[in-house]
Amino acid sequence: MGIFSLFSADLAVDLGTANTVIYMKGKGIVLNEPSIVAFDRNTKRIVALGNEAREMLGRTHKDIATIRPMKDGVIADFEIAEGMLRELIKRIHANWMPSRRIVISVPSGITEVEKRAVRDSAEHAGAKEVHLIAEPMAAAIGIGLDVHAPVGNMVVDMGGGTTEIAVIALSGIVTENSIRIAGDEMDEAIIQHFKKNHNILIGERTAEAIKIEVGSAMPLREEVRIQVKGRDLVNGIPKTIEATSEEIREALNEPITTVIDIVRLTLEQTPPELAADILDRGIMLTGGGALLKGLDERLRLETTLPVHVAEQPIFAVVCGTGTVLENLAKYSNVLLKGRRY
Ligand code: ADP
Ligand code: MG
């Protein structure tokens, strides 16, 4: 950490569907904000970003729209995503030198066109050298696994828009599946539950808060009751109802079962030697979804494998991306192929 680190602004970016986390070389994590943008529909100008835009979710008027440009794990709105990245970088470093290097993690199932879009965004934001790394690879490095070893490791990264499941060995991804079922789908399942069973409409943020507070994948030691505010679907009037943690678990069962099915499928697609490694070492859970109560236990029960939750699941991907940035030579073989520099 010499004086140079003060001027060095090489960045590692986890451009997540729910949260964007930025790591600065020599410094560590310098920004963690929701990947949400509020913009003026007429001019397309960004009016708020991150936490500030999150406060506006579901509360905007007709001229302002809030969107999550990365919604399903890829760039849904190119222009807005680029604007978001540029503004976030500006926020951490007002005069980020355009000669800088940036490593960005992207979903493993990304297409060439989508890769191009991410690269272009970073370049337009001022980067001269852009490297891409698959999210599960970054997550594996972030939790300290030796990805170069001839040993199989399974990582399940459950974010907002996507769950990425991958088996990694010898610096590469051997088997992978990416599905668009993760945190957002759980929130949606909770919204649907209240619509169907309580005749009330609740917002996305309320649904997420319920999931985080009382959502679970296995029975809780102490089941709880909660008060939920929404709008009565029959008379349109706001009201409060009572719900239980049991019914929330029931509502979450479908998305959770789907994720577990894909974990099983991925295990079936894994070569036997690597499957044997996973039997010994277990499954690593990362991403915000890893924090869902009882998810590890449920996965353990249904796969009979050991399951470990990363220490800071939300930061696994950015930490790994940061490690790659700090040791580019050591990790050059895990980067996604693309343009050479
Ligand atoms: P992404 O990489 O897609 O940006 P993250 O890894 O940041 O996503 O995880 C965000 C998701 O994790 C959101 O759907 C959020 O609701 C969920 N999440 C965060 N904390 C918890 C928690 N304690 N329990 C359940 N889900 C959680
Ligand atoms: Mg992520």
Side-chain angles (χ1 to χ4, degrees):
M1 287 274 260
I3 192 162
F4 288 111
S5 63
L6 290 174
F7 302 100
S8 149
D10 288 357
L11 303 176
V13 180
D14 169 7
L15 204 53
T17 63
N19 298 297
T20 297
V21 193
I22 303 184
Y23 171 107
M24 193 186 283
K25 189 170 181 181
K27 260 193 139 165
I29 294 170
V30 289
L31 178 139
N32 174 24
E33 297 252 3
S35 308
I36 303 176
V37 179
F39 66 100
D40 188 310
R41 280 186 207 275
N42 305 315
T43 61
K44 276 223 162 187
R45 214 174 54 84
I46 293 178
V47 295
L49 209 63
N51 286 312
E52 204 186 325
R54 188 172 193 271
E55 293 300 320
M56 298 179 176
L57 262 190
R59 295 195 176 110
T60 51
H61 52 78
K62 68 173 177 17
D63 289 337
I64 306 280
T66 46
I67 65 158
R68 291 177 44 194
M70 308 299 299
K71 193 137 191 181
D72 287 317
V74 293
I75 295 188
D77 187 315
F78 180 60
E79 220 177 309
I80 302 282
E82 190 178 307
M84 179 176 82
L85 190 61
R86 190 180 320 129
E87 291 296 319
L88 289 175
I89 288 174
K90 243 196 240 161
R91 224 176 251 196
I92 55 167
H93 207 281
N95 38 14
W96 190 51
M97 300 308 282
S99 64
R100 289 308 167 196
R101 181 183 278 160
I102 186 163
V103 183
I104 306 184
S105 58
V106 294
S108 54
I110 193 168
T111 64
E112 286 305 317
V113 172
E114 290 163 342
K115 273 188 218 168
R116 182 77 251 158
V118 175
R119 273 186 204 283
D120 286 352
S121 294
E123 279 168 10
H124 292 170
K128 279 283 181 301
E129 189 183 316
V130 184
H131 300 284
L132 304 183
I133 179 170
E135 278 166 1
M137 177 61 82
I141 295 168
I143 57 178
L145 300 177
D146 178 3
V147 297
H148 300 309
V151 177
N153 282 296
M154 178 179 258
V155 174
V156 176
D157 180 77
M158 188 190 280
T162 59
T163 300
E164 309 259 324
I165 300 161
V167 174
I168 291 164
L170 286 167
S171 318
I173 293 178
V174 182
T175 320
E176 66 182 304
N177 283 296
S178 172
I179 51 165
R180 292 180 178 204
I181 294 186
D184 296 343
E185 279 292 317
M186 294 195 199
D187 301 346
E188 186 54 34
I190 292 174
I191 293 174
Q192 292 307 326
H193 169 80
F194 282 99
K195 241 192 220 169
K196 270 196 223 123
N197 302 285
H198 295 280
N199 271 315
I200 66 162
L201 189 63
I202 63 167
E204 266 173 56
R205 290 196 58 188
T206 301
E208 185 186 24
I210 293 171
K211 172 187 71 180
I212 291 175
E213 203 185 320
V214 301
S216 62
M218 289 289 282
L220 299 174
R221 211 168 300 145
E222 246 178 274
E223 300 292 349
V224 290
R225 296 183 154 272
I226 48 163
Q227 307 285 318
V228 179
K229 288 195 190 80
R231 196 181 71 208
D232 192 310
L233 280 169
V234 181
N235 62 18
I237 295 172
K239 76 168 182 185
T240 304
I241 59 121
E242 204 175 63
T244 67
S245 48
E246 285 103 327
E247 65 179 90
I248 303 301
R249 180 163 59 252
E250 181 60 37
L252 295 178
N253 195 48
E254 197 179 309
I256 290 171
T257 307
T258 308
V259 168
I260 292 175
D261 286 346
I262 307 292
V263 171
R264 282 218 194 89
L265 175 74
T266 313
L267 286 166
E268 281 166 28
Q269 295 166 338
T270 302
E273 294 295 349
L274 297 178
D277 293 339
I278 296 163
L279 181 62
D280 293 335
R281 306 165 64 87
I283 298 171
M284 312 293 162
L285 270 182
T286 64
L291 293 168
L292 184 78
K293 293 177 192 56
L295 183 65
D296 52 339
E297 198 187 334
R298 174 81 177 270
L299 204 52
R300 213 173 283 135
L301 188 78
E302 300 212 15
T303 60
T304 69
L305 295 173
V307 177
H308 313 282
V309 179
E311 218 160 280
Q312 284 192 298
I314 292 190
F315 296 132
V317 168
V318 78
C319 285
T321 312
T323 302
V324 170
L325 174 73
E326 300 276 2
N327 309 278
L328 215 47
K330 178 178 174 195
Y331 289 107
S332 62
N333 60 347
V334 307
L335 295 169
L336 294 176
K337 303 281 174 293
R339 183 157 9 108
R340 300 252 155 247
Y341 292 93

